[in-house]
């Protein structure tokens, strides 16, 4: 009989995910609004990964029962004017790297969707082509940022996706 590794067991029983908190539930509701808009604009179906598990990507874009892309999505509780001053979207490099790897394995592009809630605007980045090659160079550096939607601070390698490569999906 095969034994489950310690890492797999940790992932299977992790019930401390931020999505399960009150702030996480608000974000989840806003993500669903964003998902509806993505489906309409891309004329596709969306298959999401489980929100209560630490999935490598947030979901897949599907057309005619075929996966045509994978994505990471986030909500940011700020205005577009404030976001423009930051000049980039920050996601953890670990998450970016895993999604780029999946893009290569599945032969589909990787997208990043960002809902700027207070301005009711969705931006998106096409990060890779269907071979997992970057379409622009993200800036990678170790920084201190808010750890989760519930606060805290984390120092980690982060990827900065420059605003100049974003397109407006909805405004």
């Amino acid at each position: 009989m095969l034994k489950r590794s310690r890492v797999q067991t940790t992932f299977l029983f992790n019930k401390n995910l931020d999505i399960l908190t009150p702030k996480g539930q608000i974000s989840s509701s806003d993500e669903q609004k964003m998902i509806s808009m993505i489906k309409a604009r891309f004329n596709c179906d969306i298959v999401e990964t489980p929100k209560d598990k630490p999935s490598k990507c947030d979901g897949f874009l599907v057309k005619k029962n075929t996966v045509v892309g994978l994505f990471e999505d986030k909500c940011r509780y700020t205005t577009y004017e404030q976001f423009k001053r930051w000049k980039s979207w920050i996601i953890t490099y670990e998450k970016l790297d895993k999604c780029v790897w999946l893009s290569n394995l599945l032969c589909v592009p990787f997208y990043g969707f960002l809902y700027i809630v207070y301005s009711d605007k969705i931006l998106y980045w096409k990060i890779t082509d269907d071979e997992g090659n970057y379409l622009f160079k993200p800036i990678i550096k170790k920084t201190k940022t808010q750890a989760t939607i519930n606060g805290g601070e984390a120092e980690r390698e982060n990827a900065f996706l420059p605003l100049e490569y974003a397109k407006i999906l909805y405004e």
Side-chain angles (χ1 to χ4, degrees):
M1 176 176 234
L2 293 174
K3 282 186 157 181
R4 193 175 272 142
S5 78
R6 174 178 241 150
V7 173
Q8 288 172 320
T9 303
T10 301
F11 284 151
L12 288 174
F13 297 105
N14 187 349
K15 298 298 181 199
N16 297 321
L17 294 174
D18 286 284
I19 199 71
L20 302 175
T21 67
K23 283 185 178 179
Q25 290 297 295
I26 291 168
S27 180
S28 180
S29 175
D30 288 331
E31 278 183 34
Q32 290 310 304
K33 180 179 177 184
M34 175 176 45
I35 292 293
S36 293
M37 289 184 260
I38 293 167
K39 287 168 63 171
R41 296 291 173 145
F42 274 79
N43 191 29
C44 68
D45 291 319
I46 300 270
V47 176
E48 294 181 84
T49 55
K51 295 294 183 191
D52 61 347
K53 295 185 175 119
S55 301
K56 306 302 180 227
C57 71
D58 288 331
F60 299 93
L61 304 166
V62 178
K63 288 187 178 185
K64 297 181 183 175
N65 295 318
T66 300
V67 174
V68 296
L70 67 102
F71 67 89
E72 167 74 358
D73 66 6
K74 287 286 183 260
C75 296
R76 291 292 182 253
Y77 295 90
T78 188
T79 65
Y80 184 62
E81 293 307 313
Q82 176 61 50
F83 185 77
K84 285 193 309 190
R85 288 193 285 275
W86 296 331
K87 299 181 182 174
S88 60
W89 174 25
I90 302 171
I91 63 173
T92 64
Y93 176 66
E94 179 183 12
K95 183 76 159 188
L96 178 77
D97 189 50
K98 287 176 180 172
C99 287
V100 169
W101 177 74
L102 280 171
S103 169
N104 174 263
L105 285 178
L106 299 174
C107 301
V108 296
F110 166 44
Y111 296 89
F113 294 104
L114 179 66
Y115 183 25
I116 302 173
V117 177
Y118 296 156
S119 295
D120 198 29
K121 187 180 293 257
I122 299 173
L123 303 177
Y124 76 97
W125 287 254
K126 186 175 182 184
I127 300 167
T128 69
D129 63 17
D130 61 4
E131 294 179 357
N133 299 308
Y134 281 101
L135 296 176
F136 60 89
K137 186 174 179 158
I139 299 159
I140 312 298
K141 58 184 171 182
K142 194 172 203 174
T143 59
K144 286 184 182 177
T145 57
Q146 183 173 314
T148 71
I149 195 167
N150 292 301
E153 187 175 82
E155 184 173 313
R156 55 191 165 210
E157 274 194 304
N158 286 306
F160 294 76
L161 307 182
L163 184 56
E164 66 192 80
Y165 295 103
K167 293 182 181 173
I168 296 173
L169 179 76
Y170 171 84
E171 59 182 331

